[in-house]
Structures are given as C-alpha cells and as structure tokens.
Amino acid sequence: MSGPNTDYDPVEVTPLKADEVEAMRDAALAAIAAATDLESLKQVRLDHAGDRSPLALANREIGALPPQARKDAGQRVGQARGAVNKALAERQAVLEAEHEERMLVEEAVDVTLPAERRRRGSRHPITLQSDLIADLFVAMGWEVAEGPVVEAEWLNFDALNLGPDHPARTMQDTFWTEPADHHVVLRTQTSPVQARTMLTRKPPIYVVCPGRVFRTDEYDATHSPMFHQVEGLVVDEGITMAHLKGTLDHFASQLFGDGIDTRFRPSYFPFTEPSAEVDVRCFVCRGVDSPACRTCKGEGWIEWGGCGVVNPRVLIACGVDPEVYTGFAFGMGIDRSFMFRHNMADLRDLFEGDVRFSAAFGTEI
Ligand code: DAH
C-alpha cells in the first residue's frame, strides 16, 4: 500500500503544467488584444476569466495536488489569472475611452447646419394694410367699429339717404340675398357702419371701420366683386369740413409719406352735404415733374375716395340731433390704396391666393 505522497509532485496534472498554463494565459491575452469593442471583450472575459474558463478549471485542480505541489501550481495559475485580469482591465479602459470618443463624434450636433424649417404663413397684405390704417386712427384716439357684411337694405341704403328710388342706388350694383322681400344685401359699402354706430352710441363719435364690400362688378385688372373699404365717421359738436381736411391730410401723410396731402373736388354723395372726391398727392412725383410719372399718369394726384359733411337727414335717421351735432365722413378703397402704394398693376393678384404674392408683403407690420 502506498502511503500519502509527501514528496515533490510525482503526479502530473496536465492542466497545471507550466507550459499548459502559459498557453492558456497567452490564448487569453491574444483574445483580449483582439477584442475590438466592449461587446466582444465581454465574451472574451467569459471565455478566459469566467467560472468555466480553462484557467478557472485548472485552478480547481490545485486542491487535488499534494501540498508541496500546490504552492507552485497555485502561484503559476494565480500569476496567469492575474495577468489575464490585468490585461482585461486595461483593454476595458482602452475600449471604453474609444467608445466615449466615438460617441462624442457621432453624437455631436453641428449647430451651424441649416435647420429644418416649416414655411411660416403670413398675413394677407390687405389684412396688414387694414390693420395699419386702423392703427393710424387708434393713435389719434379713434375707435375701430365693425359691422356685418350681410346687411339690411335699410342700413346699407335708406338710412344713408338713399331711398328706394334714389338714382345713386344704381351706382352700386348690388348683390341681393333671397328671398328678396327680406331686403337683405351684401353690403355695397362700409357706410352702413356709420348708421349702426350712430344708432347704438351717443356722440362724440370717432370711429374707423375697415371691411369687405361687394358689388356685381366684372372681375378684371381693376375691378372685383369683393373689395375693401375703410370708412371714417366723426360726430361731435362744432365739427366742420376743415376737421375733415386736416384728418385726411394726416391720414395721407401717414400712409404715403411725409408731405403727402390731399385735395378735394366737389362731388355728390347722398349721405354727405357738401361732398367731395378726395385725391391724394402722387407720392412718387409729388406733383412735380408729373408728365413723366407712371404712378399718377402725369396727373400729380391720385383718386383716393369720397368724403363730406354728414347730411343732417342721415343724422336724423340715426337719432342724432343735427341742431347740436355735426359730423364728417369718408370712405376709401383699401385695395386701391394698396395697389398704388406698391405700384401693382393687376388687382387680381390680391385675390388669387398665391402665397408667393402674400409672402412678399407678409413681413410688413
Ligand atoms: N360709400 C362711398 C362709396 O362706396 C364712399 C364714401 C363717400 C363714403 C363719401 C363716405 C363718404 O363716408 O362720406 O362710394
């Protein structure tokens, strides 16, 4: 019977032989060096340093060795495992740094790149022009009034001294709604807002009213069945034609430029007496050197609208005492104003809905 083996290791355990352990270590180091990313390094760690790796399995064999042999084998395996773990840690650090660097490059945001932009809408030039005009008057302390575009015949005509047989009614070819006996029209002018205002509030009245109006006009370069007007109305004590002239001169210079004033030509409107056509001084040639001017066609003046002192009959129809109050009123075409302000040739450009046209004016405020 052989006794316990106390001499130096006569037992050969293959996995613990020096060259075997070295081979395991070298295989592990080679695999570690070959790992190109953190994911593959993870697999290498499992294969070469995990519980079932050759070195771990060799380590388990150590216990079976006689005590003296254990020390040598333990050192050998321990050193090999130490070298593998160290190499793993180093490679891990290198790959992590590489990863981080790559992320910095890949996730970098170039703030100078053009942004993906949605095209911004813009307000219609006529809306902007209407707002601009309203603002001019609000700046003088006036209020903005509004009325419906589908209007009672009485307010559109009768209250404004345009009785059923008045010849001036035919000047404004009217869209009637059905049934005809309801006497409802698409308003042909913004003037019914005058009547509405006087019927609902007491003087002093200082109102401006931009809005849409309708007439059965042909649609061409200078006409449209729908267009825009701005109406002004003042009713107060002691109001004269001079106040009207001063107001319109101020309006013209604000809209068309410093020094642009107006002139009156005698005219007729049923709701004003006296009445005048207003011309605005040509803002291009200013009336100087006018023969060559294309904007005013050599006139030096451009037709702008109508105005006058409010007819006492209108005041009475709307419940205002003409013995106490007088007033003035005016009405201008907004589209017309816009057209000659911007030298437009064709009115239809305003209504065709082409965004390239609107956008060209859309930034104006
Ligand atoms: N309503 C008139 C038109 O459409 C314009 C006008 C003229 C308005 C004189 C007024 C005014 O307020 O006083 O032709």
Side-chain angles (χ1 to χ4, degrees):
M1 185 182 155
S2 59
N5 188 354
T6 49
D7 291 337
Y8 183 68
D9 184 16
V11 184
E12 289 275 303
V13 177
T14 313
L16 292 172
K17 281 187 190 159
D19 47 356
E20 283 291 330
V21 172
E22 266 168 36
M24 292 176 203
R25 181 198 64 198
D26 291 347
L29 295 181
I32 290 166
T36 48
D37 56 36
L38 290 164
E39 201 50 40
S40 51
L41 189 66
K42 202 168 160 190
Q43 191 57 46
V44 171
R45 175 177 282 113
L46 271 177
D47 294 345
H48 295 276
D51 285 351
R52 308 201 58 78
S53 65
L55 279 168
L57 295 176
N59 197 47
R60 285 198 212 154
E61 302 281 347
I62 295 171
L65 294 179
Q68 284 182 1
R70 270 186 220 155
K71 194 178 162 211
D72 270 357
Q75 247 174 18
R76 224 173 9 254
V77 175
Q79 275 170 3
R81 297 182 91 189
V84 170
N85 283 334
K86 186 165 165 264
L88 274 172
E90 283 170 5
R91 191 78 189 126
Q92 173 88 16
V94 168
L95 290 177
E96 265 173 12
E98 269 179 27
H99 175 76
E100 218 155 276
E101 204 146 301
R102 203 169 43 244
M103 289 320 249
L104 282 179
V105 174
E106 280 171 9
E107 290 178 6
V109 177
D110 182 353
V111 291
T112 66
L113 281 177
E116 201 180 299
R117 258 186 224 151
R118 264 168 205 253
R119 230 185 127 128
R120 281 180 67 190
S122 48
R123 304 179 70 205
H124 192 274
I126 289 299
T127 311
L128 291 171
Q129 177 89 359
S130 302
D131 285 359
L132 178 85
I133 292 170
D135 284 351
L136 298 180
F137 284 93
V138 168
M140 293 193 286
W142 293 37
E143 287 170 71
V144 177
E146 276 178 16
V149 294
V150 181
E151 184 59 285
E153 176 190 1
W154 188 81
L155 288 165
N156 190 79
F157 291 124
D158 301 66
L160 299 170
N161 196 30
L162 273 143
D165 301 321
H166 199 293
R169 271 209 191 193
T170 56
M171 280 161 52
Q172 304 186 357
D173 293 320
T174 309
F175 284 112
W176 296 88
T177 66
E178 289 184 348
D181 61 357
H182 281 200
H183 301 284
V184 172
V185 300
L186 298 190
R187 70 179 179 195
T188 58
Q189 49 187 352
T190 40
S191 303
V193 180
Q194 289 187 27
R196 284 182 171 272
T197 306
M198 287 187 271
L199 285 166
T200 51
R201 63 168 91 179
K202 301 225 161 313
I205 291 169
Y206 291 80
V207 292
V208 65
C209 165
R212 258 181 292 171
V213 300
F214 305 81
R215 289 184 199 173
T216 58
D217 285 337
E218 289 295 327
Y219 186 48
D220 61 27
T222 51
H223 296 89
S224 161
M226 188 282 294
F227 55 102
H228 301 80
Q229 286 188 335
V230 55
E231 193 79 16
L233 173 71
V234 167
V235 180
D236 203 346
E237 288 179 41
I239 293 295
T240 72
M241 197 99 174
H243 296 118
L244 170 61
K245 181 74 167 71
T247 303
L248 291 181
D249 279 348
H250 176 74
F251 182 12
S253 68
Q254 291 288 300
L255 201 56
F256 300 109
D258 269 356
I260 300 300
D261 54 1
T262 61
R263 76 174 181 189
F264 286 180
R265 283 179 289 113
S267 186
Y268 172 77
F269 295 103
F271 27 89
T272 42
E273 184 58 41
S275 303
E277 301 268 355
V278 199
D279 295 343
V280 64
R281 186 181 292 280
C282 176
F283 56 94
V284 175
C285 68
R286 295 185 169 245
V288 186
D289 191 23
S290 52
C293 182
R294 280 185 299 168
T295 301
C296 63
K297 312 253 171 356
E299 291 290 320
W301 297 89
I302 302 164
E303 279 184 36
W304 196 22
C307 66
V309 171
V310 181
N311 192 320
R313 294 172 67 116
V314 174
L315 295 178
I316 292 166
C318 298
V320 175
D321 183 352
E323 297 298 325
V324 181
Y325 297 105
T326 50
F328 68 72
F330 58 84
M332 276 63 178
I334 294 182
D335 319 83
R336 258 185 71 70
S337 304
F338 185 85
M339 277 180 78
F340 56 75
R341 189 166 170 233
H342 293 285
N343 244 323
M344 276 175 64
D346 196 325
L347 175 72
R348 287 170 291 196
D349 286 340
L350 287 172
F351 306 126
E352 301 283 288
D354 187 332
V355 289
R356 289 170 302 181
F357 173 80
S358 308
F361 297 97
T363 49
E364 188 183 339
I365 40 169

Coordinates of all heavy atoms in Angstrom, one line a residue, residues 85-163:
N85 N -6.4 39.1 -15.9 CA -7.3 40.1 -15.3 C -6.8 41.5 -15.6 O -7.6 42.5 -15.8 CB -7.6 39.9 -13.8 CG -8.5 38.7 -13.6 OD1 -9.4 38.4 -14.5 ND2 -8.4 38.0 -12.5
K86 N -5.5 41.6 -15.4 CA -4.9 43.0 -15.6 C -5.1 43.4 -17.1 O -5.5 44.5 -17.4 CB -3.4 42.9 -15.3 CG -2.7 44.2 -15.4 CD -1.3 44.1 -14.7 CE -0.5 45.3 -15.0 NZ 0.5 45.1 -16.1
A87 N -4.8 42.4 -18.0 CA -5.0 42.7 -19.4 C -6.4 43.1 -19.7 O -6.7 44.0 -20.5 CB -4.5 41.6 -20.3
L88 N -7.3 42.3 -19.1 CA -8.8 42.6 -19.3 C -9.1 44.0 -18.9 O -9.8 44.8 -19.6 CB -9.6 41.6 -18.5 CG -10.0 40.3 -19.2 CD1 -10.6 39.4 -18.2 CD2 -10.9 40.5 -20.4
A89 N -8.6 44.4 -17.7 CA -8.9 45.7 -17.1 C -8.4 46.8 -18.0 O -9.0 47.8 -18.3 CB -8.4 45.9 -15.7
E90 N -7.1 46.6 -18.5 CA -6.5 47.6 -19.4 C -7.3 47.8 -20.7 O -7.5 48.9 -21.2 CB -5.0 47.2 -19.7 CG -4.1 47.5 -18.5 CD -2.7 46.9 -18.7 OE1 -2.4 46.4 -19.8 OE2 -2.0 47.0 -17.7
R91 N -7.6 46.6 -21.3 CA -8.3 46.6 -22.6 C -9.7 47.3 -22.4 O -10.1 48.1 -23.2 CB -8.5 45.2 -23.1 CG -9.0 45.1 -24.5 CD -7.9 45.4 -25.5 NE -8.4 45.6 -26.9 CZ -8.1 46.6 -27.7 NH1 -7.4 47.6 -27.2 NH2 -8.6 46.7 -28.9
Q92 N -10.3 46.9 -21.3 CA -11.6 47.5 -21.0 C -11.5 49.1 -20.9 O -12.3 49.8 -21.5 CB -12.1 47.0 -19.6 CG -13.3 47.7 -19.1 CD -14.6 47.0 -19.6 OE1 -14.5 45.8 -20.0 NE2 -15.7 47.7 -19.5
A93 N -10.4 49.6 -20.3 CA -10.3 51.0 -20.2 C -10.0 51.6 -21.5 O -10.6 52.7 -21.9 CB -9.1 51.3 -19.2
V94 N -9.2 50.9 -22.4 CA -8.9 51.5 -23.7 C -10.2 51.5 -24.5 O -10.5 52.5 -25.2 CB -7.9 50.6 -24.4 CG1 -7.8 51.0 -25.9 CG2 -6.5 50.8 -23.7
L95 N -10.9 50.4 -24.5 CA -12.1 50.3 -25.3 C -13.2 51.3 -24.9 O -13.9 51.9 -25.7 CB -12.7 48.9 -25.3 CG -11.8 47.9 -26.1 CD1 -12.5 46.5 -26.0 CD2 -11.7 48.3 -27.6
E96 N -13.3 51.5 -23.5 CA -14.3 52.5 -23.0 C -13.9 53.9 -23.5 O -14.8 54.7 -23.9 CB -14.3 52.4 -21.5 CG -15.4 51.5 -21.0 CD -15.4 51.3 -19.5 OE1 -14.6 52.1 -18.8 OE2 -16.0 50.4 -19.0
A97 N -12.7 54.2 -23.4 CA -12.2 55.5 -23.9 C -12.5 55.7 -25.4 O -13.0 56.7 -25.8 CB -10.7 55.7 -23.6
E98 N -12.2 54.6 -26.1 CA -12.5 54.7 -27.6 C -14.0 54.9 -27.8 O -14.4 55.7 -28.6 CB -12.1 53.4 -28.3 CG -10.7 53.4 -28.8 CD -10.3 52.1 -29.4 OE1 -11.2 51.4 -29.9 OE2 -9.1 51.8 -29.4
H99 N -14.8 54.2 -27.1 CA -16.2 54.3 -27.2 C -16.7 55.7 -26.9 O -17.5 56.3 -27.7 CB -16.9 53.3 -26.3 CG -18.4 53.3 -26.2 ND1 -19.2 52.8 -27.2 CD2 -19.3 53.9 -25.3 CE1 -20.4 53.0 -27.0 NE2 -20.5 53.7 -25.8
E100 N -16.2 56.2 -25.9 CA -16.6 57.5 -25.5 C -16.3 58.6 -26.5 O -17.1 59.5 -26.9 CB -16.0 57.9 -24.2 CG -16.9 58.7 -23.3 CD -16.5 58.5 -21.8 OE1 -16.9 57.5 -21.2 OE2 -15.7 59.4 -21.4
E101 N -15.1 58.4 -27.1 CA -14.6 59.4 -28.1 C -15.5 59.3 -29.3 O -15.9 60.3 -29.9 CB -13.2 59.0 -28.5 CG -12.4 60.2 -29.0 CD -11.0 60.1 -28.6 OE1 -10.7 60.1 -27.4 OE2 -10.2 60.0 -29.5
R102 N -15.8 58.0 -29.7 CA -16.6 57.8 -30.9 C -18.0 58.4 -30.7 O -18.6 59.1 -31.5 CB -16.8 56.3 -31.2 CG -17.1 56.1 -32.6 CD -17.0 54.6 -33.0 NE -17.6 53.7 -32.1 CZ -16.9 52.8 -31.4 NH1 -15.6 52.7 -31.6 NH2 -17.5 52.0 -30.6
M103 N -18.6 58.2 -29.4 CA -19.9 58.8 -29.1 C -19.8 60.3 -29.3 O -20.7 61.0 -29.8 CB -20.3 58.5 -27.7 CG -20.7 57.0 -27.5 SD -21.6 56.4 -28.9 CE -23.1 56.2 -28.3
L104 N -18.7 60.9 -28.8 CA -18.6 62.4 -28.9 C -18.7 62.9 -30.3 O -19.3 63.9 -30.6 CB -17.3 62.9 -28.2 CG -17.3 62.9 -26.7 CD1 -16.0 63.4 -26.2 CD2 -18.4 63.8 -26.2
V105 N -18.0 62.1 -31.2 CA -18.0 62.5 -32.6 C -19.4 62.2 -33.2 O -20.0 63.1 -33.9 CB -16.9 61.7 -33.3 CG1 -17.0 62.0 -34.8 CG2 -15.5 62.1 -32.8
E106 N -19.9 60.9 -33.0 CA -21.1 60.6 -33.6 C -22.3 61.4 -33.2 O -23.2 61.6 -33.9 CB -21.4 59.1 -33.4 CG -20.6 58.2 -34.3 CD -20.6 56.7 -34.0 OE1 -21.5 56.4 -33.1 OE2 -19.9 56.0 -34.5
E107 N -22.3 61.7 -31.9 CA -23.5 62.4 -31.3 C -23.3 63.9 -31.3 O -24.2 64.6 -30.9 CB -23.8 61.9 -29.9 CG -24.3 60.5 -29.9 CD -24.5 60.0 -28.5 OE1 -24.4 60.7 -27.6 OE2 -24.8 58.8 -28.4
A108 N -22.2 64.4 -31.9 CA -22.0 65.8 -31.9 C -23.1 66.5 -32.8 O -23.6 65.9 -33.8 CB -20.7 66.1 -32.5
V109 N -23.5 67.6 -32.4 CA -24.5 68.4 -33.1 C -23.9 69.6 -33.8 O -23.2 70.4 -33.1 CB -25.7 68.9 -32.2 CG1 -26.7 69.7 -32.9 CG2 -26.3 67.7 -31.5
D110 N -24.0 69.6 -35.1 CA -23.4 70.8 -35.8 C -24.4 71.9 -35.8 O -25.4 71.9 -36.5 CB -23.1 70.4 -37.2 CG -22.4 71.5 -37.9 OD1 -22.4 72.7 -37.4 OD2 -21.9 71.3 -39.1
V111 N -24.2 72.9 -34.9 CA -25.2 73.9 -34.7 C -25.2 74.9 -35.9 O -26.1 75.7 -36.1 CB -25.0 74.7 -33.4 CG1 -25.3 73.9 -32.2 CG2 -23.6 75.3 -33.4
T112 N -24.3 74.7 -36.8 CA -24.2 75.6 -38.0 C -25.0 75.0 -39.2 O -25.2 75.7 -40.2 CB -22.8 75.9 -38.4 OG1 -22.2 74.6 -38.9 CG2 -21.9 76.4 -37.3
L113 N -25.5 73.7 -39.0 CA -26.2 73.2 -40.1 C -27.6 73.9 -40.3 O -28.1 74.3 -39.3 CB -26.5 71.7 -39.8 CG -25.4 70.7 -40.1 CD1 -25.8 69.3 -39.7 CD2 -25.0 70.7 -41.5
P114 N -28.0 74.0 -41.5 CA -29.3 74.7 -41.7 C -30.5 73.9 -41.0 O -30.5 72.7 -41.1 CB -29.5 74.7 -43.2 CG -28.5 73.8 -43.8 CD -27.5 73.6 -42.8
A115 N -31.3 74.6 -40.3 CA -32.4 73.9 -39.6 C -33.5 73.5 -40.5 O -33.6 74.1 -41.6 CB -33.0 74.8 -38.5
E116 N -34.2 72.4 -40.2 CA -35.3 72.0 -41.0 C -36.5 73.0 -40.6 O -36.9 73.0 -39.5 CB -35.7 70.6 -40.6 CG -36.5 69.9 -41.7 CD -36.9 68.5 -41.3 OE1 -35.9 67.7 -41.1 OE2 -38.1 68.3 -41.2
R117 N -36.8 73.8 -41.6 CA -37.8 74.8 -41.3 C -39.2 74.6 -41.9 O -39.2 74.2 -43.1 CB -37.3 76.1 -41.7 CG -36.7 76.9 -40.6 CD -36.4 78.3 -41.0 NE -35.1 78.6 -40.4 CZ -34.2 79.4 -40.9 NH1 -34.4 80.0 -42.1 NH2 -33.1 79.6 -40.3
R118 N -40.2 74.8 -41.2 CA -41.5 74.9 -41.8 C -41.7 76.3 -42.3 O -41.4 77.2 -41.6 CB -42.6 74.6 -40.7 CG -43.0 73.2 -40.7 CD -43.8 72.9 -39.4 NE -43.6 71.5 -39.2 CZ -44.6 70.6 -39.4 NH1 -45.7 71.0 -39.8 NH2 -44.4 69.3 -39.1
R119 N -42.3 76.3 -43.5 CA -42.6 77.6 -44.0 C -43.6 78.4 -43.2 O -44.6 77.8 -42.8 CB -43.2 77.4 -45.4 CG -42.5 78.3 -46.5 CD -43.3 78.1 -47.7 NE -43.6 79.4 -48.2 CZ -43.4 79.8 -49.5 NH1 -42.8 78.9 -50.3 NH2 -43.7 80.9 -49.9
R120 N -43.3 79.6 -42.8 CA -44.2 80.3 -42.0 C -45.3 80.9 -42.8 O -45.0 81.4 -43.9 CB -43.5 81.4 -41.2 CG -42.8 80.8 -40.0 CD -42.1 81.9 -39.3 NE -43.0 82.9 -38.7 CZ -42.6 84.0 -38.1 NH1 -41.4 84.4 -38.2 NH2 -43.5 84.8 -37.6
G121 N -46.5 80.9 -42.3 CA -47.5 81.6 -43.1 C -47.4 83.1 -42.9 O -46.6 83.5 -42.1
S122 N -48.1 83.8 -43.6 CA -48.0 85.3 -43.4 C -49.4 85.8 -43.6 O -50.3 85.2 -44.3 CB -47.1 85.9 -44.4 OG -47.3 85.5 -45.7
R123 N -49.7 87.0 -43.0 CA -51.0 87.5 -43.1 C -51.2 88.2 -44.5 O -50.2 88.6 -45.1 CB -51.2 88.6 -42.0 CG -50.9 87.9 -40.6 CD -51.0 88.9 -39.5 NE -52.4 89.3 -39.3 CZ -52.8 90.5 -38.8 NH1 -51.9 91.3 -38.4 NH2 -54.1 90.7 -38.7
H124 N -52.4 88.2 -44.9 CA -52.6 88.7 -46.2 C -52.3 90.2 -46.2 O -52.6 90.9 -45.3 CB -54.1 88.5 -46.6 CG -54.3 88.7 -48.1 ND1 -54.6 90.0 -48.6 CD2 -54.2 87.9 -49.2 CE1 -54.7 89.9 -49.9 NE2 -54.5 88.7 -50.3
P125 N -51.7 90.7 -47.3 CA -51.3 92.1 -47.4 C -52.5 93.1 -47.1 O -52.3 94.1 -46.5 CB -50.8 92.3 -48.8 CG -50.6 90.9 -49.4 CD -51.3 89.9 -48.5
I126 N -53.7 92.7 -47.5 CA -54.8 93.6 -47.3 C -55.2 93.6 -45.8 O -55.6 94.6 -45.3 CB -56.1 93.1 -48.2 CG1 -55.8 93.5 -49.6 CG2 -57.3 93.8 -47.7 CD1 -55.5 94.9 -50.0
T127 N -55.0 92.5 -45.2 CA -55.3 92.4 -43.7 C -54.3 93.4 -43.0 O -54.6 94.1 -42.1 CB -55.1 91.0 -43.2 OG1 -55.9 90.1 -44.0 CG2 -55.6 90.9 -41.7
L128 N -53.0 93.2 -43.5 CA -52.0 94.1 -42.9 C -52.3 95.6 -43.1 O -52.1 96.4 -42.2 CB -50.6 93.7 -43.5 CG -50.1 92.4 -43.1 CD1 -48.8 92.0 -43.9 CD2 -49.7 92.3 -41.6
Q129 N -52.7 95.9 -44.3 CA -53.0 97.3 -44.7 C -54.2 97.8 -43.9 O -54.1 98.9 -43.4 CB -53.3 97.3 -46.2 CG -53.7 98.7 -46.7 CD -52.5 99.5 -47.1 OE1 -51.3 99.0 -47.0 NE2 -52.7 100.7 -47.6
S130 N -55.2 96.9 -43.7 CA -56.4 97.3 -42.9 C -55.9 97.6 -41.5 O -56.4 98.6 -40.9 CB -57.4 96.2 -42.9 OG -57.8 96.0 -44.2
D131 N -55.1 96.7 -40.9 CA -54.7 96.9 -39.5 C -53.8 98.2 -39.4 O -54.0 98.9 -38.4 CB -53.8 95.7 -39.1 CG -54.7 94.5 -38.8 OD1 -55.9 94.6 -38.9 OD2 -54.2 93.5 -38.5
L132 N -53.0 98.4 -40.4 CA -52.1 99.6 -40.4 C -53.0 100.9 -40.3 O -52.8 101.8 -39.5 CB -51.2 99.6 -41.6 CG -50.3 100.8 -41.8 CD1 -49.1 100.6 -41.0 CD2 -50.0 101.0 -43.2
I133 N -54.0 100.9 -41.2 CA -54.9 102.1 -41.3 C -55.7 102.2 -39.9 O -55.7 103.3 -39.4 CB -55.9 101.9 -42.4 CG1 -55.1 102.0 -43.8 CG2 -57.0 103.0 -42.4 CD1 -56.0 101.7 -45.0
A134 N -56.2 101.1 -39.4 CA -56.9 101.2 -38.1 C -56.0 101.7 -37.1 O -56.4 102.6 -36.3 CB -57.4 99.8 -37.7
D135 N -54.7 101.3 -37.1 CA -53.8 101.8 -36.1 C -53.5 103.3 -36.2 O -53.4 103.9 -35.1 CB -52.4 101.0 -36.2 CG -52.5 99.6 -35.7 OD1 -53.5 99.3 -35.1 OD2 -51.5 98.9 -35.9
L136 N -53.5 103.8 -37.4 CA -53.3 105.2 -37.5 C -54.3 106.0 -36.8 O -54.1 107.0 -36.2 CB -53.3 105.6 -39.0 CG -52.3 105.0 -40.0 CD1 -52.6 105.6 -41.4 CD2 -50.9 105.4 -39.5
F137 N -55.6 105.5 -36.9 CA -56.7 106.2 -36.3 C -56.8 106.0 -34.8 O -57.1 106.9 -34.0 CB -58.0 105.9 -37.0 CG -58.1 106.6 -38.4 CD1 -57.7 106.0 -39.5 CD2 -58.6 107.9 -38.4 CE1 -57.7 106.6 -40.7 CE2 -58.6 108.6 -39.6 CZ -58.2 107.9 -40.8
V138 N -56.4 104.7 -34.4 CA -56.4 104.4 -33.0 C -55.4 105.4 -32.3 O -55.6 105.9 -31.2 CB -56.1 102.9 -32.7 CG1 -55.8 102.7 -31.3 CG2 -57.3 102.1 -33.2
A139 N -54.3 105.6 -33.0 CA -53.3 106.5 -32.4 C -53.8 107.9 -32.2 O -53.2 108.7 -31.4 CB -52.0 106.5 -33.4
M140 N -54.9 108.3 -33.0 CA -55.5 109.6 -32.7 C -56.6 109.6 -31.7 O -57.4 110.5 -31.6 CB -56.0 110.2 -34.1 CG -54.9 110.5 -35.1 SD -55.6 111.4 -36.5 CE -56.5 110.2 -37.4
G141 N -56.8 108.4 -31.1 CA -57.9 108.3 -30.1 C -59.2 107.8 -30.7 O -60.2 107.8 -30.0
W142 N -59.2 107.4 -32.0 CA -60.5 106.9 -32.6 C -60.7 105.4 -32.1 O -59.8 104.8 -31.7 CB -60.4 106.9 -34.1 CG -60.4 108.3 -34.7 CD1 -59.7 109.4 -34.2 CD2 -61.0 108.7 -35.9 NE1 -59.9 110.5 -35.0 CE2 -60.7 110.1 -36.1 CE3 -61.8 108.1 -36.9 CZ2 -61.1 110.8 -37.2 CZ3 -62.2 108.8 -38.0 CH2 -61.9 110.2 -38.1
E143 N -61.9 105.0 -32.4 CA -62.2 103.6 -32.1 C -62.4 102.8 -33.4 O -62.8 103.4 -34.4 CB -63.5 103.4 -31.3 CG -63.3 103.8 -29.8 CD -64.6 103.9 -29.1 OE1 -65.2 102.8 -28.9 OE2 -65.1 105.0 -28.9
V144 N -62.2 101.5 -33.4 CA -62.5 100.7 -34.6 C -63.9 100.1 -34.4 O -64.2 99.5 -33.4 CB -61.4 99.5 -34.7 CG1 -61.7 98.7 -35.9 CG2 -60.0 100.1 -34.8
A145 N -64.7 100.3 -35.5 CA -66.1 99.8 -35.4 C -66.2 98.7 -36.5 O -65.4 98.7 -37.5 CB -67.1 100.9 -35.8
E146 N -67.1 97.8 -36.2 CA -67.3 96.7 -37.2 C -68.8 96.5 -37.5 O -69.7 96.9 -36.7 CB -66.8 95.4 -36.6 CG -65.3 95.2 -36.9 CD -64.8 94.0 -36.3 OE1 -65.6 93.1 -36.0 OE2 -63.5 93.9 -36.2
G147 N -69.1 96.0 -38.7 CA -70.5 95.7 -39.0 C -70.5 94.4 -39.8 O -69.5 94.0 -40.3
P148 N -71.7 93.9 -40.0 CA -71.8 92.6 -40.8 C -71.7 92.9 -42.3 O -72.1 94.0 -42.8 CB -73.2 92.1 -40.4 CG -74.0 93.3 -40.1 CD -73.0 94.3 -39.5
V149 N -71.2 91.9 -43.0 CA -71.1 92.0 -44.5 C -72.5 91.7 -45.1 O -72.8 92.2 -46.2 CB -70.0 91.2 -45.1 CG1 -68.6 91.7 -44.7 CG2 -70.2 89.7 -44.8
V150 N -73.3 90.9 -44.4 CA -74.7 90.6 -44.9 C -75.5 91.6 -44.1 O -75.7 91.5 -42.9 CB -75.1 89.2 -44.6 CG1 -76.5 89.0 -45.1 CG2 -74.1 88.2 -45.3
E151 N -76.0 92.6 -44.8 CA -76.6 93.8 -44.2 C -78.0 94.1 -44.6 O -78.5 93.7 -45.7 CB -75.7 95.0 -44.6 CG -76.0 96.3 -44.0 CD -75.9 96.3 -42.4 OE1 -76.8 95.7 -41.8 OE2 -74.9 96.8 -41.9
A152 N -78.7 94.7 -43.7 CA -80.1 95.1 -44.0 C -80.1 96.2 -45.1 O -79.3 97.1 -45.0 CB -80.8 95.7 -42.8
E153 N -81.0 96.1 -46.1 CA -81.1 97.1 -47.1 C -81.2 98.5 -46.5 O -80.6 99.4 -47.0 CB -82.3 96.7 -48.0 CG -82.5 97.8 -49.1 CD -83.9 97.6 -49.8 OE1 -84.6 96.6 -49.4 OE2 -84.2 98.4 -50.7
W154 N -82.0 98.6 -45.5 CA -82.3 99.9 -44.9 C -81.0 100.6 -44.4 O -80.8 101.7 -44.6 CB -83.3 99.7 -43.7 CG -83.8 101.1 -43.2 CD1 -84.7 101.8 -43.7 CD2 -83.2 101.8 -42.1 NE1 -84.9 103.0 -43.0 CE2 -83.9 103.0 -42.0 CE3 -82.2 101.5 -41.2 CZ2 -83.7 104.0 -41.0 CZ3 -82.0 102.5 -40.2 CH2 -82.7 103.7 -40.1
L155 N -80.1 99.8 -43.8 CA -78.9 100.3 -43.2 C -77.9 100.6 -44.4 O -77.2 101.6 -44.3 CB -78.3 99.4 -42.2 CG -79.0 99.3 -40.9 CD1 -78.5 98.1 -40.1 CD2 -78.8 100.6 -40.1
N156 N -77.9 99.8 -45.4 CA -76.9 100.0 -46.5 C -77.4 101.2 -47.3 O -76.5 101.8 -47.9 CB -76.9 98.7 -47.3 CG -75.7 98.8 -48.3 OD1 -74.6 98.5 -48.0 ND2 -76.0 99.1 -49.6
F157 N -78.7 101.4 -47.4 CA -79.2 102.5 -48.3 C -80.0 103.5 -47.6 O -79.6 104.7 -47.5 CB -80.0 101.9 -49.5 CG -79.1 101.1 -50.5 CD1 -79.4 99.7 -50.8 CD2 -78.0 101.7 -51.1 CE1 -78.6 99.0 -51.7 CE2 -77.3 101.0 -52.1 CZ -77.6 99.6 -52.3
D158 N -81.2 103.1 -47.2 CA -82.2 104.1 -46.7 C -81.7 105.0 -45.6 O -81.9 106.2 -45.7 CB -83.5 103.4 -46.2 CG -84.1 102.5 -47.3 OD1 -83.4 101.5 -47.7 OD2 -85.2 102.8 -47.8
A159 N -81.1 104.4 -44.6 CA -80.6 105.3 -43.5 C -79.6 106.3 -44.0 O -79.3 107.3 -43.3 CB -80.0 104.4 -42.4
L160 N -78.9 106.0 -45.1 CA -77.9 106.9 -45.6 C -78.5 107.8 -46.7 O -77.7 108.3 -47.6 CB -76.7 106.0 -46.2 CG -76.1 105.1 -45.1 CD1 -75.1 104.2 -45.8 CD2 -75.3 106.0 -44.1
N161 N -79.8 108.0 -46.6 CA -80.4 109.0 -47.5 C -80.4 108.5 -49.0 O -80.4 109.2 -49.9 CB -79.7 110.3 -47.4 CG -80.6 111.4 -48.1 OD1 -81.8 111.4 -48.0 ND2 -79.9 112.4 -48.6
L162 N -80.4 107.1 -49.1 CA -80.5 106.5 -50.4 C -81.8 105.8 -50.5 O -81.9 104.6 -50.3 CB -79.4 105.5 -50.7 CG -78.1 106.1 -51.3 CD1 -76.9 105.4 -50.7 CD2 -78.0 106.0 -52.8
G163 N -82.9 106.5 -50.7 CA -84.3 105.9 -50.7 C -84.4 105.0 -51.9 O -83.5 104.9 -52.8

